Amino acid sequence: MITQCQAAGDEVVLLPIHSETFLIAEHRERFERLGVKLAIPSHEQIEATHDKGRLALLAEELAITIPATRHYTDLADVYADAPTLSYPQFVKIRGAAAGVGVIKVDDPEELVSTYRAMIEDYELAPADYPLVQGFVAGEDYCVTALFDRGQRVASFTYHNVRQFPRTTGAGVLREAVRAPEAEAEACRLLEHMEWHGLAQLDFRWGDDGVPHLIELNPRFFGGLPQAVASGVDYPWLVFQLALGEPVDRPTIDYDVRTETPVLGLLARARRARR
């Protein structure tokens, strides 16, 4: 968590970085009573989007394209459906993030065994059973946006040129890109929710030319160095928003690439062995 103080007025702004965003959002009134400034989504907004199942249902309601997604509450239905699906598929814990709790499966037997193991390992109740989501051939694009109570004040998109692990991991080599189609879909969802604060939405840009929404992160994100290097200084913009100041309009440099040092090296090594 980052804490920043503004010299004039000695105001305090909290900029939560990762999962503490959820806890602070849930108890925001306690912080605000102390005079702490926040620019984060509401707890209800986070709950509605962090759960991949609820996000998929919301996307379907808004006619936003997502990979084919199956919701189960009975393992018998997984057994029945497994032979009818095309592969690969992904088995996903509803609250998975950064590739953790996401497993790619290549045949019906692997789907069933993986699904059953996830239920047991995570001790899941039927309402929390994993999703089964279809594979979309294409490239990974990440739309980032800052909203002021439903109004977009900044947005930026980057492309994950390389990931680690290769099919389910976070981006390790990124580049700034123009992606108006994906940004339009992301902003349509965030406007509908009257979003307040930062969001990062993962899209799989399919070989069919259509961006497929994968997940939404209601917080700072792994590609933040790419955004800042490209001219979109989200920590500063969120700071301005929390203080109620006009938010600077960023100028984006689309010639920037960034690489995560250690993971980037591992990704290159694995690619060289293939």
Side-chain angles (χ1 to χ4, degrees), residues 172-223:
V172 295
L173 177 63
R174 306 176 177 95
E175 62 183 2
V177 295
R178 293 177 175 85
E181 298 91 343
E183 287 195 15
E185 293 293 80
C187 291
R188 188 156 63 87
L189 186 150
L190 297 172
E191 288 167 1
H192 171 80
M193 299 190 70
E194 298 184 350
W195 194 264
H196 187 69
L198 191 62
Q200 183 251 338
L201 298 91
D202 289 342
F203 284 85
R204 185 75 167 174
W205 204 298
D207 291 344
D208 58 2
V210 177
H212 297 67
L213 177 63
I214 303 297
E215 67 177 34
L216 186 156
N217 294 305
R219 51 175 172 75
F220 286 102
F221 45 91

Short mmCIF file of all heavy atoms in Angstrom, two decimals, residues 172-223:
data_model
loop_
_atom_site.label_atom_id
_atom_site.label_comp_id
_atom_site.label_asym_id
_atom_site.label_seq_id
_atom_site.Cartn_x
_atom_site.Cartn_y
_atom_site.Cartn_z
N VAL A 172 5.03 -10.30 -19.51
CA VAL A 172 6.39 -9.97 -19.09
C VAL A 172 7.08 -9.06 -20.12
O VAL A 172 8.07 -8.42 -19.81
CB VAL A 172 7.24 -11.24 -18.86
CG1 VAL A 172 6.67 -12.03 -17.69
CG2 VAL A 172 7.30 -12.10 -20.10
N LEU A 173 6.55 -9.00 -21.32
CA LEU A 173 7.01 -8.05 -22.34
C LEU A 173 5.76 -7.38 -22.89
O LEU A 173 4.86 -8.04 -23.41
CB LEU A 173 7.78 -8.76 -23.47
CG LEU A 173 8.25 -7.85 -24.62
CD1 LEU A 173 9.23 -6.79 -24.12
CD2 LEU A 173 8.87 -8.68 -25.74
N ARG A 174 5.71 -6.04 -22.77
CA ARG A 174 4.50 -5.31 -23.09
C ARG A 174 4.81 -4.16 -24.04
O ARG A 174 5.92 -3.64 -24.06
CB ARG A 174 3.84 -4.76 -21.82
CG ARG A 174 3.57 -5.81 -20.74
CD ARG A 174 3.01 -5.16 -19.49
NE ARG A 174 2.67 -6.12 -18.46
CZ ARG A 174 3.49 -6.47 -17.46
NH1 ARG A 174 4.70 -5.91 -17.38
NH2 ARG A 174 3.11 -7.34 -16.55
N GLU A 175 3.78 -3.74 -24.80
CA GLU A 175 3.92 -2.59 -25.67
C GLU A 175 2.62 -1.79 -25.65
O GLU A 175 1.53 -2.34 -25.49
CB GLU A 175 4.23 -3.03 -27.10
CG GLU A 175 3.15 -3.88 -27.75
CD GLU A 175 3.52 -4.35 -29.15
OE1 GLU A 175 4.63 -4.05 -29.60
OE2 GLU A 175 2.67 -5.03 -29.78
N ALA A 176 2.76 -0.46 -25.78
CA ALA A 176 1.59 0.41 -25.87
C ALA A 176 0.93 0.26 -27.23
O ALA A 176 1.62 0.15 -28.25
CB ALA A 176 2.01 1.86 -25.65
N VAL A 177 -0.41 0.21 -27.24
CA VAL A 177 -1.13 0.02 -28.51
C VAL A 177 -2.38 0.88 -28.52
O VAL A 177 -2.89 1.30 -27.48
CB VAL A 177 -1.53 -1.45 -28.73
CG1 VAL A 177 -0.32 -2.35 -28.89
CG2 VAL A 177 -2.42 -1.95 -27.59
N ARG A 178 -2.89 1.10 -29.72
CA ARG A 178 -4.22 1.69 -29.90
C ARG A 178 -5.21 0.54 -30.09
O ARG A 178 -5.02 -0.29 -30.97
CB ARG A 178 -4.23 2.62 -31.10
CG ARG A 178 -3.38 3.88 -30.92
CD ARG A 178 -3.40 4.71 -32.18
NE ARG A 178 -2.69 5.99 -32.01
CZ ARG A 178 -1.38 6.15 -32.16
NH1 ARG A 178 -0.63 5.09 -32.50
NH2 ARG A 178 -0.82 7.33 -31.99
N ALA A 179 -6.25 0.52 -29.28
CA ALA A 179 -7.24 -0.56 -29.36
C ALA A 179 -8.63 0.01 -29.08
O ALA A 179 -9.24 -0.29 -28.05
CB ALA A 179 -6.90 -1.68 -28.38
N PRO A 180 -9.15 0.83 -29.97
CA PRO A 180 -10.43 1.51 -29.69
C PRO A 180 -11.59 0.56 -29.49
O PRO A 180 -12.50 0.86 -28.70
CB PRO A 180 -10.63 2.40 -30.92
CG PRO A 180 -9.75 1.81 -31.99
CD PRO A 180 -8.57 1.22 -31.27
N GLU A 181 -11.60 -0.60 -30.18
CA GLU A 181 -12.73 -1.53 -30.02
C GLU A 181 -12.78 -2.09 -28.60
O GLU A 181 -13.84 -2.14 -27.97
CB GLU A 181 -12.62 -2.67 -31.03
CG GLU A 181 -12.67 -2.23 -32.49
CD GLU A 181 -11.31 -1.94 -33.06
OE1 GLU A 181 -10.35 -1.76 -32.28
OE2 GLU A 181 -11.19 -1.88 -34.31
N ALA A 182 -11.62 -2.54 -28.09
CA ALA A 182 -11.58 -3.08 -26.74
C ALA A 182 -11.86 -1.99 -25.71
O ALA A 182 -12.57 -2.22 -24.72
CB ALA A 182 -10.23 -3.75 -26.48
N GLU A 183 -11.31 -0.79 -25.93
CA GLU A 183 -11.55 0.30 -24.98
C GLU A 183 -13.03 0.68 -24.93
O GLU A 183 -13.57 0.98 -23.86
CB GLU A 183 -10.70 1.51 -25.34
CG GLU A 183 -9.23 1.33 -25.01
CD GLU A 183 -8.45 2.63 -25.03
OE1 GLU A 183 -9.08 3.72 -25.02
OE2 GLU A 183 -7.20 2.57 -25.05
N ALA A 184 -13.69 0.64 -26.07
CA ALA A 184 -15.11 0.97 -26.11
C ALA A 184 -15.92 -0.03 -25.29
O ALA A 184 -16.84 0.36 -24.55
CB ALA A 184 -15.61 1.00 -27.55
N GLU A 185 -15.60 -1.32 -25.41
CA GLU A 185 -16.31 -2.34 -24.64
C GLU A 185 -16.04 -2.19 -23.15
O GLU A 185 -16.95 -2.30 -22.32
CB GLU A 185 -15.90 -3.74 -25.12
CG GLU A 185 -16.35 -4.07 -26.53
CD GLU A 185 -17.85 -4.18 -26.64
OE1 GLU A 185 -18.53 -3.13 -26.73
OE2 GLU A 185 -18.37 -5.31 -26.64
N ALA A 186 -14.77 -1.95 -22.80
CA ALA A 186 -14.42 -1.77 -21.40
C ALA A 186 -15.15 -0.59 -20.79
O ALA A 186 -15.71 -0.67 -19.70
CB ALA A 186 -12.91 -1.60 -21.26
N CYS A 187 -15.14 0.51 -21.51
CA CYS A 187 -15.76 1.73 -20.98
C CYS A 187 -17.28 1.60 -20.90
O CYS A 187 -17.91 2.16 -20.01
CB CYS A 187 -15.35 2.93 -21.81
SG CYS A 187 -13.60 3.35 -21.61
N ARG A 188 -17.85 0.85 -21.82
CA ARG A 188 -19.31 0.63 -21.77
C ARG A 188 -19.69 -0.10 -20.48
O ARG A 188 -20.69 0.23 -19.83
CB ARG A 188 -19.76 -0.16 -23.00
CG ARG A 188 -21.26 -0.28 -23.15
CD ARG A 188 -21.64 -0.53 -24.59
NE ARG A 188 -21.12 -1.78 -25.11
CZ ARG A 188 -21.76 -2.96 -24.98
NH1 ARG A 188 -22.92 -3.01 -24.34
NH2 ARG A 188 -21.26 -4.06 -25.50
N LEU A 189 -18.89 -1.08 -20.10
CA LEU A 189 -19.15 -1.82 -18.87
C LEU A 189 -18.97 -0.92 -17.65
O LEU A 189 -19.80 -0.90 -16.74
CB LEU A 189 -18.23 -3.04 -18.80
CG LEU A 189 -18.46 -4.02 -17.64
CD1 LEU A 189 -18.05 -5.43 -18.06
CD2 LEU A 189 -17.70 -3.62 -16.39
N LEU A 190 -17.86 -0.17 -17.63
CA LEU A 190 -17.57 0.68 -16.47
C LEU A 190 -18.57 1.83 -16.35
O LEU A 190 -18.95 2.21 -15.23
CB LEU A 190 -16.14 1.21 -16.58
CG LEU A 190 -15.05 0.13 -16.53
CD1 LEU A 190 -13.69 0.74 -16.84
CD2 LEU A 190 -15.03 -0.59 -15.19
N GLU A 191 -19.01 2.37 -17.46
CA GLU A 191 -20.04 3.41 -17.41
C GLU A 191 -21.35 2.84 -16.86
O GLU A 191 -22.03 3.50 -16.06
CB GLU A 191 -20.26 3.98 -18.81
CG GLU A 191 -19.13 4.87 -19.30
CD GLU A 191 -19.21 5.17 -20.78
OE1 GLU A 191 -20.19 4.69 -21.43
OE2 GLU A 191 -18.33 5.86 -21.31
N HIS A 192 -21.70 1.64 -17.30
CA HIS A 192 -22.91 0.99 -16.81
C HIS A 192 -22.88 0.84 -15.29
O HIS A 192 -23.92 1.00 -14.62
CB HIS A 192 -23.07 -0.37 -17.48
CG HIS A 192 -24.16 -1.22 -16.90
ND1 HIS A 192 -25.49 -1.05 -17.22
CD2 HIS A 192 -24.11 -2.24 -15.99
CE1 HIS A 192 -26.22 -1.93 -16.57
NE2 HIS A 192 -25.42 -2.66 -15.80
N MET A 193 -21.70 0.55 -14.75
CA MET A 193 -21.57 0.32 -13.31
C MET A 193 -21.35 1.61 -12.52
O MET A 193 -21.27 1.57 -11.30
CB MET A 193 -20.41 -0.65 -13.05
CG MET A 193 -20.57 -2.00 -13.68
SD MET A 193 -19.32 -3.15 -13.10
CE MET A 193 -19.86 -3.39 -11.39
N GLU A 194 -21.23 2.75 -13.22
CA GLU A 194 -20.89 4.02 -12.57
C GLU A 194 -19.61 3.87 -11.75
O GLU A 194 -19.50 4.28 -10.60
CB GLU A 194 -22.04 4.53 -11.72
CG GLU A 194 -23.30 4.81 -12.53
CD GLU A 194 -24.42 5.42 -11.71
OE1 GLU A 194 -24.30 5.46 -10.46
OE2 GLU A 194 -25.40 5.88 -12.31
N TRP A 195 -18.62 3.30 -12.39
CA TRP A 195 -17.35 2.95 -11.76
C TRP A 195 -16.64 4.19 -11.24
O TRP A 195 -16.70 5.27 -11.83
CB TRP A 195 -16.46 2.26 -12.79
CG TRP A 195 -15.27 1.55 -12.20
CD1 TRP A 195 -14.01 2.02 -12.09
CD2 TRP A 195 -15.26 0.22 -11.68
NE1 TRP A 195 -13.19 1.07 -11.53
CE2 TRP A 195 -13.94 -0.05 -11.26
CE3 TRP A 195 -16.22 -0.78 -11.53
CZ2 TRP A 195 -13.56 -1.27 -10.71
CZ3 TRP A 195 -15.85 -1.99 -10.97
CH2 TRP A 195 -14.54 -2.23 -10.56
N HIS A 196 -15.94 4.02 -10.12
CA HIS A 196 -15.14 5.11 -9.56
C HIS A 196 -13.78 4.54 -9.18
O HIS A 196 -13.68 3.64 -8.34
CB HIS A 196 -15.81 5.73 -8.34
CG HIS A 196 -15.11 6.95 -7.84
ND1 HIS A 196 -15.08 8.14 -8.54
CD2 HIS A 196 -14.39 7.17 -6.71
CE1 HIS A 196 -14.39 9.04 -7.85
NE2 HIS A 196 -13.96 8.48 -6.74
N GLY A 197 -12.73 5.08 -9.80
CA GLY A 197 -11.38 4.60 -9.52
C GLY A 197 -10.78 3.92 -10.74
O GLY A 197 -11.21 4.10 -11.87
N LEU A 198 -9.77 3.10 -10.46
CA LEU A 198 -8.99 2.45 -11.51
C LEU A 198 -9.53 1.06 -11.82
O LEU A 198 -10.04 0.37 -10.94
CB LEU A 198 -7.54 2.35 -11.05
CG LEU A 198 -6.48 1.95 -12.07
CD1 LEU A 198 -6.39 2.97 -13.20
CD2 LEU A 198 -5.12 1.83 -11.37
N ALA A 199 -9.39 0.66 -13.08
CA ALA A 199 -9.76 -0.71 -13.48
C ALA A 199 -8.83 -1.14 -14.60
O ALA A 199 -8.39 -0.33 -15.42
CB ALA A 199 -11.21 -0.79 -13.95
N GLN A 200 -8.52 -2.43 -14.61
CA GLN A 200 -7.76 -3.03 -15.71
C GLN A 200 -8.54 -4.24 -16.20
O GLN A 200 -8.91 -5.12 -15.42
CB GLN A 200 -6.37 -3.46 -15.24
CG GLN A 200 -5.49 -4.02 -16.35
CD GLN A 200 -5.29 -5.52 -16.20
OE1 GLN A 200 -5.43 -6.09 -15.14
NE2 GLN A 200 -4.96 -6.16 -17.30
N LEU A 201 -8.85 -4.26 -17.48
CA LEU A 201 -9.66 -5.33 -18.07
C LEU A 201 -8.82 -6.11 -19.07
O LEU A 201 -8.23 -5.52 -19.99
CB LEU A 201 -10.91 -4.77 -18.76
CG LEU A 201 -11.88 -4.02 -17.85
CD1 LEU A 201 -11.55 -2.53 -17.82
CD2 LEU A 201 -13.33 -4.23 -18.28
N ASP A 202 -8.76 -7.42 -18.88
CA ASP A 202 -8.03 -8.29 -19.79
C ASP A 202 -8.93 -8.72 -20.93
O ASP A 202 -10.07 -9.18 -20.69
CB ASP A 202 -7.52 -9.53 -19.06
CG ASP A 202 -6.38 -9.21 -18.10
OD1 ASP A 202 -5.78 -8.14 -18.23
OD2 ASP A 202 -6.10 -10.05 -17.22
N PHE A 203 -8.43 -8.60 -22.14
CA PHE A 203 -9.15 -9.05 -23.33
C PHE A 203 -8.26 -10.04 -24.09
O PHE A 203 -7.04 -9.89 -24.13
CB PHE A 203 -9.49 -7.89 -24.26
CG PHE A 203 -10.64 -7.04 -23.80
CD1 PHE A 203 -10.43 -5.99 -22.91
CD2 PHE A 203 -11.92 -7.27 -24.26
CE1 PHE A 203 -11.48 -5.19 -22.49
CE2 PHE A 203 -12.98 -6.48 -23.85
CZ PHE A 203 -12.76 -5.43 -22.96
N ARG A 204 -8.91 -11.02 -24.68
CA ARG A 204 -8.25 -11.89 -25.66
C ARG A 204 -8.74 -11.45 -27.02
O ARG A 204 -9.92 -11.61 -27.34
CB ARG A 204 -8.62 -13.35 -25.39
CG ARG A 204 -7.90 -14.34 -26.27
CD ARG A 204 -6.46 -14.53 -25.85
NE ARG A 204 -5.88 -15.70 -26.50
CZ ARG A 204 -4.61 -16.04 -26.41
NH1 ARG A 204 -3.78 -15.31 -25.67
NH2 ARG A 204 -4.16 -17.11 -27.04
N TRP A 205 -7.83 -10.82 -27.80
CA TRP A 205 -8.22 -10.34 -29.12
C TRP A 205 -8.16 -11.52 -30.07
O TRP A 205 -7.09 -11.95 -30.48
CB TRP A 205 -7.30 -9.22 -29.58
CG TRP A 205 -7.98 -8.34 -30.58
CD1 TRP A 205 -8.43 -8.71 -31.82
CD2 TRP A 205 -8.31 -6.97 -30.44
NE1 TRP A 205 -9.03 -7.66 -32.46
CE2 TRP A 205 -8.96 -6.57 -31.63
CE3 TRP A 205 -8.12 -6.03 -29.43
CZ2 TRP A 205 -9.42 -5.26 -31.83
CZ3 TRP A 205 -8.58 -4.74 -29.63
CH2 TRP A 205 -9.21 -4.36 -30.81
N GLY A 206 -9.33 -12.06 -30.41
CA GLY A 206 -9.40 -13.30 -31.15
C GLY A 206 -8.93 -13.17 -32.58
O GLY A 206 -8.91 -12.08 -33.17
N ASP A 207 -8.56 -14.30 -33.16
CA ASP A 207 -8.21 -14.34 -34.58
C ASP A 207 -9.40 -13.94 -35.45
O ASP A 207 -9.24 -13.65 -36.64
CB ASP A 207 -7.73 -15.74 -34.95
CG ASP A 207 -6.39 -16.08 -34.31
OD1 ASP A 207 -5.71 -15.14 -33.84
OD2 ASP A 207 -6.02 -17.28 -34.27
N ASP A 208 -10.60 -13.94 -34.83
CA ASP A 208 -11.79 -13.50 -35.56
C ASP A 208 -11.91 -11.97 -35.60
O ASP A 208 -12.88 -11.43 -36.13
CB ASP A 208 -13.05 -14.10 -34.92
CG ASP A 208 -13.20 -13.75 -33.44
OD1 ASP A 208 -12.34 -13.01 -32.90
OD2 ASP A 208 -14.16 -14.23 -32.81
N GLY A 209 -10.94 -11.27 -35.01
CA GLY A 209 -10.95 -9.81 -35.02
C GLY A 209 -11.80 -9.19 -33.94
O GLY A 209 -12.01 -7.97 -33.94
N VAL A 210 -12.28 -9.99 -32.98
CA VAL A 210 -13.17 -9.51 -31.93
C VAL A 210 -12.46 -9.60 -30.57
O VAL A 210 -11.89 -10.65 -30.25
CB VAL A 210 -14.47 -10.33 -31.88
CG1 VAL A 210 -15.37 -9.88 -30.73
CG2 VAL A 210 -15.21 -10.22 -33.21
N PRO A 211 -12.48 -8.54 -29.75
CA PRO A 211 -11.93 -8.63 -28.40
C PRO A 211 -12.90 -9.35 -27.47
O PRO A 211 -14.08 -9.00 -27.39
CB PRO A 211 -11.74 -7.17 -27.99
CG PRO A 211 -12.72 -6.40 -28.81
CD PRO A 211 -12.91 -7.16 -30.09
N HIS A 212 -12.41 -10.38 -26.77
CA HIS A 212 -13.21 -11.17 -25.83
C HIS A 212 -12.78 -10.80 -24.41
O HIS A 212 -11.61 -10.95 -24.04
CB HIS A 212 -12.99 -12.67 -26.05
CG HIS A 212 -13.43 -13.17 -27.39
ND1 HIS A 212 -12.81 -12.80 -28.56
CD2 HIS A 212 -14.43 -14.03 -27.73
CE1 HIS A 212 -13.40 -13.42 -29.58
NE2 HIS A 212 -14.39 -14.15 -29.09
N LEU A 213 -13.73 -10.33 -23.61
CA LEU A 213 -13.42 -9.95 -22.23
C LEU A 213 -13.11 -11.20 -21.41
O LEU A 213 -13.88 -12.17 -21.41
CB LEU A 213 -14.61 -9.21 -21.62
CG LEU A 213 -14.47 -8.81 -20.14
CD1 LEU A 213 -13.33 -7.83 -19.94
CD2 LEU A 213 -15.79 -8.22 -19.63
N ILE A 214 -12.01 -11.15 -20.66
CA ILE A 214 -11.59 -12.28 -19.82
C ILE A 214 -11.81 -11.99 -18.35
O ILE A 214 -12.39 -12.80 -17.62
CB ILE A 214 -10.11 -12.63 -20.08
CG1 ILE A 214 -9.87 -12.94 -21.56
CG2 ILE A 214 -9.68 -13.80 -19.20
CD1 ILE A 214 -10.62 -14.14 -22.08
N GLU A 215 -11.30 -10.85 -17.86
CA GLU A 215 -11.45 -10.54 -16.44
C GLU A 215 -11.28 -9.05 -16.22
O GLU A 215 -10.83 -8.31 -17.11
CB GLU A 215 -10.46 -11.32 -15.58
CG GLU A 215 -9.01 -10.94 -15.77
CD GLU A 215 -8.08 -11.70 -14.84
OE1 GLU A 215 -8.35 -12.87 -14.53
OE2 GLU A 215 -7.07 -11.10 -14.44
N LEU A 216 -11.65 -8.62 -15.01
CA LEU A 216 -11.52 -7.22 -14.61
C LEU A 216 -10.83 -7.18 -13.26
O LEU A 216 -11.23 -7.87 -12.32
CB LEU A 216 -12.90 -6.56 -14.54
CG LEU A 216 -12.94 -5.05 -14.27
CD1 LEU A 216 -14.25 -4.46 -14.80
CD2 LEU A 216 -12.83 -4.72 -12.77
N ASN A 217 -9.78 -6.35 -13.15
CA ASN A 217 -9.07 -6.15 -11.89
C ASN A 217 -9.37 -4.74 -11.38
O ASN A 217 -9.05 -3.76 -12.06
CB ASN A 217 -7.56 -6.32 -12.10
CG ASN A 217 -7.21 -7.75 -12.46
OD1 ASN A 217 -7.55 -8.68 -11.75
ND2 ASN A 217 -6.53 -7.93 -13.58
N PRO A 218 -9.97 -4.62 -10.19
CA PRO A 218 -10.38 -3.31 -9.69
C PRO A 218 -9.29 -2.61 -8.88
O PRO A 218 -9.52 -2.12 -7.79
CB PRO A 218 -11.57 -3.68 -8.79
CG PRO A 218 -11.18 -5.02 -8.24
CD PRO A 218 -10.41 -5.71 -9.33
N ARG A 219 -8.07 -2.55 -9.43
CA ARG A 219 -6.92 -2.08 -8.66
C ARG A 219 -5.76 -1.80 -9.61
O ARG A 219 -5.90 -1.94 -10.81
CB ARG A 219 -6.51 -3.16 -7.65
CG ARG A 219 -6.32 -4.53 -8.30
CD ARG A 219 -5.79 -5.58 -7.36
NE ARG A 219 -5.80 -6.90 -7.94
CZ ARG A 219 -4.95 -7.35 -8.85
NH1 ARG A 219 -4.00 -6.55 -9.31
NH2 ARG A 219 -5.02 -8.59 -9.30
N PHE A 220 -4.61 -1.42 -9.02
CA PHE A 220 -3.40 -1.31 -9.81
C PHE A 220 -3.05 -2.69 -10.36
O PHE A 220 -3.50 -3.72 -9.85
CB PHE A 220 -2.25 -0.75 -8.98
CG PHE A 220 -2.37 0.73 -8.73
CD1 PHE A 220 -2.82 1.21 -7.50
CD2 PHE A 220 -2.04 1.63 -9.72
CE1 PHE A 220 -2.94 2.57 -7.27
CE2 PHE A 220 -2.15 3.00 -9.49
CZ PHE A 220 -2.60 3.47 -8.27
N PHE A 221 -2.21 -2.75 -11.38
CA PHE A 221 -2.06 -3.96 -12.18
C PHE A 221 -0.59 -4.17 -12.53
O PHE A 221 0.26 -3.26 -12.42
CB PHE A 221 -2.88 -3.83 -13.47
CG PHE A 221 -2.74 -2.50 -14.13
CD1 PHE A 221 -1.78 -2.27 -15.10
CD2 PHE A 221 -3.55 -1.43 -13.75
CE1 PHE A 221 -1.62 -1.03 -15.69
CE2 PHE A 221 -3.40 -0.17 -14.33
CZ PHE A 221 -2.44 0.03 -15.30
N GLY A 222 -0.27 -5.40 -12.99
CA GLY A 222 1.11 -5.75 -13.27
C GLY A 222 1.76 -4.92 -14.36
O GLY A 222 2.98 -4.74 -14.36
N GLY A 223 0.96 -4.42 -15.30
CA GLY A 223 1.49 -3.63 -16.40
C GLY A 223 1.60 -2.15 -16.08
O GLY A 223 1.80 -1.33 -16.99
#
